[in-house]
Amino acid sequence: MKVCVVDATASATQVRFDGLAARYVRWELGRSGAELVDDPLRADVMCMTAVSPQEWKAVPAALRKAGMASSPEGRRARGQPPVVLGGQAAMSPAIFDRFVDVCCVGEGREFVRTLIRDGFDAATALPNAWVPGEVREVVPDENFPWDAPPVMA
């Protein structure tokens, strides 16, 4: 599976330093066997991270920058890869319903492993997956990946 990881809140005007969530997702995807690509339009799935729900506008802006928005509001055109949002911002998932296909609420290790091993539909069925339009309880995953090199320092 080809996956593109984008940190929506990384500065576009300064030297780019992706946040911890994006670095962790890349690491977890790599060890799960995903093929990481830079172009989201060549990916099977786009994994986006954002640091805060207060910076929600960074998500539609990142979609526009990636060529995945069909309107100034950030709505996506048909036929583009699904977008998974993670990071601290995903703890308030409803505000992203217009922009993403699913939010991974809480830690993402099981979500990432399921995504790569069993596919997108299986990952969106996990208890910590917020899917716009679904009416079910979403339970944040709290199993922090203390053993992951991006977070050990």
Side-chain angles (χ1 to χ4, degrees), residues 38-51:
D38 292 329
D39 182 358
L41 297 175
R42 288 187 44 241
D44 298 311
V45 175
M46 176 193 223
C47 289
M48 184 180 290
T49 63
V51 297

Side-chain angles (χ1 to χ4, degrees), residues 8 48 56-69 72-74 99:
M48 184 180 290
W56 68 270
K57 291 181 180 180
V59 170
L63 289 169
R64 283 192 303 276
K65 184 177 178 186
M68 290 184 56
E73 300 83 33
F99 312 115

Side-chain angles (χ1 to χ4, degrees), residues 65-134:
K65 184 177 178 186
M68 290 184 56
S70 63
S71 71
E73 300 83 33
R75 289 187 181 84
R76 294 191 351 262
R78 295 190 194 287
Q80 295 179 341
V83 176
V84 175
L85 180 68
Q88 185 62 31
M91 294 299 285
S92 298
I95 62 175
F96 300 103
D97 281 0
R98 300 186 296 173
F99 312 115
V100 304
D101 297 288
V102 62
C103 286
C104 175
V105 182
E107 304 312 321
R109 175 168 282 169
E110 189 59 31
F111 188 96
V112 167
R113 289 179 177 175
T114 302
L115 175 68
I116 302 308
R117 182 185 61 232
D118 303 323
F120 182 78
D121 291 340
T124 62
L126 291 170
N128 69 323
W130 171 277
V131 178
E134 283 191 3

